[in-house]
Amino acid sequence: MIGSDIADAQSVLSDLETVSTTSTFGPDVEDVCRQLRTTIVDAAFPGALVPITNSAGRLQILVAATTMMAWRRLAPVLKAFAGPTLTSFSGITAPLPPGEPTAQRLAQTQPAATCVIQIPQDRKSVLSALRALMRVRETIARAPDLQSAVPEPTSWLLARFQDNLNVGRRNAATVILERLKDELRLDALNTKFLEVQLLAAFGDWAAIVSLAGFSSLRLARRPPAISALLLEALYRTHLADFFDAGDSASVHNTYRATVHDLAQPMLSVPLPSTLTPGGLKLYALEMVVSPSRSDIQEALAGDQSSLGWLAGELETHLGAIAPLATSTLTTSPLDDARAALVQVDAVEAVDNVAAALAALEKLAPAELALVRDAEPFSAAFRLIEADAPAGVPSSWIEWLEKTADPSFTNALEIARHGKDEWSVQSSARDPSQVAAFVTALNRAQDDPLASERTAQALPFLVAWLQQDAAFPAPVLAPIYANLLTLFALNSTRSGTVYESSQVLVEALLTVGINEADYASLIADINELAGQAFGTDMIYWVLDTIESFMRASAPDAKSREAFLHSILARTAPLYGRLSIIQRIAVKRLASELGWSLDTLGTNVESVPVDDVSQKLKGLRIAIYSLTETSSRQAKNAIEEMAPTANVDCAADHGGSVRLKALAENADIFVVSWLSAKHAATEFIREHRGDRILLYSQGRGFSSILRAIEEHLKS
């Protein structure tokens, strides 16, 4: 295949079919020529073989390879099957013939290597040469793919899924979810849990309630975090509008008629640690419907400020109910163990397993044997024996301390659940806990196994930190900084740069750091980017530059030197950048007061890119509270496609104009980190099935990235 992607290759093939004149050699020759031309769109073929008729009426074969690696793969096979005994091919590259329309179209794909194969013109020789070239194609098709990627472990895919959720890359997360489904990496239930997590991350609550099998999800054994999301989805879909309007009668009637039966199996105690205000309101409404639920009454005994006007109604309602008699019966260790095992069987929670292990440790051998063999406890007992032979951590510090243990084989699975179950608030308010966390984190790096497990869990750690209501919190800056350093070290070891590192960069710049920490931050970013990053890193680099330009700096000279240095490293890549990437680089360079021309970059060269064509005539809406970014994105899009109509919005809630944009724009982009939830939900409500994109950063380059990825998908 040649071209930047399959769409580009198909365009080339279509153009060449139009100008082809090989049919003059007869139907049998033309049939083979047509098959050879399809190498243009054959992803398994390392280049293209294009028969043409030259100006003298002779049949020639134009050969093009996109990369030198592809040429080195193609040339030996060509020489073996269609070498000097049949054709002129000797394995040496040569330029395409000037002035020939087919050659000119091939040249537009910017091939790395080309040549022209001459063949004898008697009919027998022509057919022999063409059939030899067909055998070249067939041989390459049968050859094993030595460049195929090593299969990725499921744990790595789950980490990348979380990484994309952390920064709002919905399409990228969806691709990973589909891969997990297609390759049967997880059972149907756990795949559905990931789908719920994906939809909830973008506030698509109605889609959760509409999921096929929603009724089964509410009855299944599930993590507390999933229960919290399902409850929030029910509240947002059926009750939120009535509650916000203060319509008490409609709230209670709708809960009894529609929500109660769906929610009741999920309203268990203890409350999920990630329970949201909407879910908490469902617990309160259940207390009104089922006053005998003393367990809920005890769970709601604390702060009820998030219940709004429902708190007053609940207090009045409970005051009219006779106090329930409290049991004074004492329980035995065996009863406690049985109760803990029931919880393990009912709710898939790390903390439940830890509590069950603690309860089982208190049993005598005879009691332990009794629990192991008795139903319904034996299933949960076997589950604990299989999944937690060496115990279960109950915090990130304990998790880090266990990572060096070879028997801790489910470390990443526990990290995936721990991000939701382990409270970040205790660490966020206690400097001693922050210091203990940093110590455990650094100690884990002294052991190769612990270091590898920690690196793979980095996206889960970032997700855990983002759950802090005060994120980014100044007291947690040491944790942010140390995790960012681990991101940098991991990129050096594995070549993988997680997008979540951008979250930590933004957090450190937001909370404010001193000169020494600022220098360390710059060093980590330089390590992440590398001295010679590729085009796959360009948007990450541009987002980082914008973050630094937005934030105040304790050392202005260091910031200026860093920004000039990292932007200068994009110059060698300029010729390989898309038109959108080029415009983003030029605009940032202009803001820094210099031009790429000074580095010898040809800024006037035109990339092989149809994005600007696809933008023509489109109406695009951009929602971002960082209005300078949305204006810059608007200017960049209109520079590429003057006929595109771009509107920017920064409303804090619904409005007539925002509704009109949501209903009429061809593409709507929401800036993920710079948006109000009320406005985002309003946009989604009125957007329907039309295209809604999420950009992962606050800067204009992330907005452009979202549009480009959509247009190229």
Side-chain angles (χ1 to χ4, degrees):
M1 189 181 82
I2 57 174
S4 58
D5 52 34
I6 188 62
D8 188 24
Q10 289 171 339
S11 175
V12 174
L13 177 60
S14 176
D15 293 344
L16 296 189
E17 292 281 11
T18 303
V19 300
S20 173
T21 58
T22 54
S23 59
T24 58
F25 289 91
D28 49 351
V29 172
E30 171 60 12
D31 181 58
V32 181
C33 289
R34 187 181 298 111
Q35 292 182 60
L36 288 176
R37 280 194 294 271
T38 60
T39 56
I40 294 171
V41 295
D42 185 352
F45 194 80
L49 303 176
V50 185
I52 67 166
T53 306
N54 66 10
S55 57
R58 296 174 61 88
L59 187 65
Q60 297 176 324
I61 310 297
L62 303 186
V63 184
T66 306
T67 65
M68 289 307 299
M69 180 180 294
W71 174 259
R72 287 191 291 271
R73 184 180 171 207
L74 174 61
V77 186
L78 268 177
K79 192 172 181 179
F81 283 89
T85 57
L86 287 176
T87 73
S88 66
F89 183 73
S90 61
I92 299 175
T93 61
L96 296 174
E100 208 287 318
T102 300
Q104 290 175 340
R105 184 64 182 92
L106 283 178
Q108 291 177 8
T109 66
Q110 299 179 334
T114 60
C115 78
V116 181
I117 297 179
Q118 308 289 349
I119 58 178
Q121 293 303 293
D122 62 278
R123 186 169 184 79
K124 182 178 180 181
S125 297
V126 166
L127 287 171
S128 296
L130 292 177
R131 287 166 182 161
L133 292 172
M134 283 300 298
R135 287 196 294 273
V136 169
R137 181 178 186 179
E138 293 163 2
T139 300
I140 289 177
R142 290 195 303 267
D145 185 5
L146 301 179
Q147 304 299 320
S148 61
V150 176
E152 293 180 275
T154 301
S155 58
W156 293 11
L157 292 175
L158 291 172
R160 284 173 47 206
F161 176 79
Q162 184 63 57
D163 185 50
N164 286 309
L165 289 189
N166 290 347
V167 296
R169 296 191 67 199
R170 181 170 185 167
N171 289 345
T174 301
V175 168
I176 295 174
L177 178 58
E178 291 303 317
R179 180 177 173 185
L180 289 166
K181 288 180 181 178
D182 294 342
E183 298 178 6
L184 303 177
R185 298 294 192 100
L186 301 171
D187 60 60
L189 187 59
N190 279 292
T191 302
K192 192 67 73 173
F193 290 161
L194 290 181
E195 193 170 354
V196 170
Q197 188 181 352
L198 172 64
L199 294 171
F202 297 93
D204 204 347
W205 305 110
I208 293 177
V209 175
S210 301
L211 280 175
F214 179 86
S215 296
S216 299
L217 284 179
R218 66 192 180 90
L219 299 173
R221 179 176 181 267
R222 62 196 170 273
I226 297 298
S227 297
L229 296 178
L230 296 176
L231 290 171
E232 182 69 16
L234 286 172
Y235 171 78
R236 295 292 188 97
T237 304
H238 297 294
L239 299 173
D241 290 341
F242 295 138
F243 192 93
D244 293 342
D247 188 348
S248 175
S250 294
V251 167
H252 288 288
N253 291 338
T254 304
Y255 181 78
R256 286 183 169 88
T258 306
V259 179
H260 172 264
D261 289 345
L262 293 171
Q264 197 274 335
M266 299 183 285
L267 297 173
S268 58
V269 174
L271 308 184
S273 59
T274 56
L275 188 65
T276 51
L280 192 64
K281 292 183 179 76
L282 295 192
Y283 272 91
L285 289 168
E286 180 65 18
M287 187 65 241
V288 174
V289 172
S290 306
S292 61
R293 289 291 301 269
S294 58
D295 55 339
I296 295 180
Q297 183 177 344
E298 293 174 6
L300 296 179
D303 182 19
Q304 298 182 357
S305 57
S306 60
L307 294 179
W309 55 260
L310 188 57
E313 285 195 7
L314 188 64
E315 184 177 352
T316 302
H317 180 79
L318 294 178
I321 300 174
L324 296 171
T326 57
S327 173
T328 58
L329 295 176
T330 58
T331 58
S332 67
L334 183 58
D335 291 332
D336 292 338
R338 286 169 173 165
L341 289 172
V342 168
Q343 282 296 103
V344 169
D345 192 49
V347 181
E348 186 183 349
V350 174
D351 287 346
N352 285 352
V353 175
L357 285 171
L360 291 172
E361 287 178 356
K362 298 177 182 178
L363 299 183
E367 293 174 321
L368 197 62
L370 182 63
V371 170
R372 182 186 292 113
D373 298 332
E375 293 294 347
F377 314 111
S378 59
F381 194 98
R382 289 193 300 271
L383 181 68
I384 292 175
E385 284 187 319
D387 293 347
V392 175
S394 58
S395 69
W396 277 111
I397 293 176
E398 291 183 15
W399 185 89
L400 289 165
E401 290 171 347
K402 288 180 67 65
T403 50
D405 183 356
S407 66
F408 191 32
T409 55
N410 58 343
L412 289 180
E413 182 65 16
I414 289 179
R416 191 162 70 91
H417 290 289
K419 71 176 173 58
D420 297 316
E421 296 181 33
W422 299 332
S423 172
V424 68
Q425 275 69 29
S426 58
S427 299
R429 305 294 175 260
D430 188 349
S432 64
Q433 284 293 305
V434 172
F437 184 99
V438 171
T439 299
L441 192 64
N442 292 333
R443 189 180 295 122
Q445 307 317 302
D446 296 333
D447 181 88
L449 179 59
S451 177
E452 180 181 352
R453 285 171 171 170
T454 305
Q456 293 172 3
L458 287 173
F460 303 126
L461 280 158
V462 173
W464 171 70
L465 291 169
Q466 286 180 301
Q467 290 179 10
D468 182 10
F471 181 84
V475 71
L476 291 180
I479 294 179
Y480 304 155
N482 278 270
L483 287 177
L484 184 62
T485 299
L486 293 186
F487 272 108
L489 293 174
N490 182 58
S491 70
T492 302
R493 289 194 300 260
S494 67
T496 300
V497 176
Y498 285 121
E499 299 280 357
S500 297
S501 58
Q502 190 68 46
V503 175
L504 298 176
V505 172
E506 189 80 32
L508 287 167
L509 291 172
T510 301
V511 300
I513 48 181
N514 58 36
E515 285 190 31
D517 291 336
Y518 197 74
S520 296
L521 173 59
I522 290 174
D524 285 339
I525 293 172
N526 277 322
E527 191 71 35
L528 280 162
Q531 291 302 311
F533 52 79
T535 55
D536 59 329
M537 281 284 292
I538 194 67
Y539 279 120
W540 187 94
V541 169
L542 296 177
D543 280 340
T544 300
I545 292 172
E546 289 192 77
S547 295
F548 269 78
M549 293 174 71
R550 283 195 304 270
S552 59
D555 186 344
K557 290 184 178 179
S558 293
R559 176 173 68 175
E560 183 177 5
F562 163 68
L563 292 178
H564 282 276
S565 169
I566 197 167
L567 191 56
R569 277 181 267 168
T570 66
L573 300 173
Y574 194 82
R576 295 163 54 198
L577 300 183
S578 67
I579 186 170
I580 283 186
Q581 292 169 339
R582 292 185 183 194
I583 287 176
V585 169
K586 283 194 291 185
R587 286 184 172 273
L588 288 176
S590 177
E591 286 193 47
L592 291 173
W594 56 281
S595 171
L596 292 170
D597 293 331
T598 60
L599 298 174
T601 301
N602 181 12
V603 296
E604 301 303 326
S605 63
V606 180
V608 181
D609 194 333
D610 63 350
V611 169
S612 58
Q613 295 295 322
K614 293 179 179 179
L615 285 170
K616 287 183 178 179
L618 291 183
R619 184 173 185 184
I620 299 172
I622 300 171
Y623 177 80
S624 174
L625 296 181
T626 310
E627 296 183 57
T628 54
S629 297
S630 55
R631 283 197 300 269
Q632 285 179 301
K634 170 183 169 68
N635 294 336
I637 294 169
E638 291 177 345
E639 178 182 339
M640 284 182 287
T643 59
N645 183 8
V646 184
D647 293 291
C648 302
D651 307 63
H652 286 251
S655 67
V656 174
R657 179 172 179 270
L658 195 60
K659 178 182 178 182
L661 291 176
E663 292 178 343
N664 298 306
D666 297 305
I667 296 174
F668 204 120
V669 186
V670 174
S671 186
W672 173 251
L673 293 178
S674 187
K676 285 287 185 181
H677 288 300
T680 303
E681 290 179 12
F682 181 84
I683 292 167
R684 187 184 300 107
E685 177 185 350
H686 293 283
R687 191 68 184 148
D689 295 331
R690 292 177 288 274
I691 298 167
L692 178 60
L693 309 178
Y694 296 88
S695 63
Q696 70 182 60
R698 289 187 171 89
F700 80 93
S701 57
S702 66
I703 296 172
L704 298 181
R705 177 185 188 178
I707 294 173
E708 180 182 51
E709 289 181 345
H710 166 71
L711 293 178
K712 287 188 173 182
S713 64

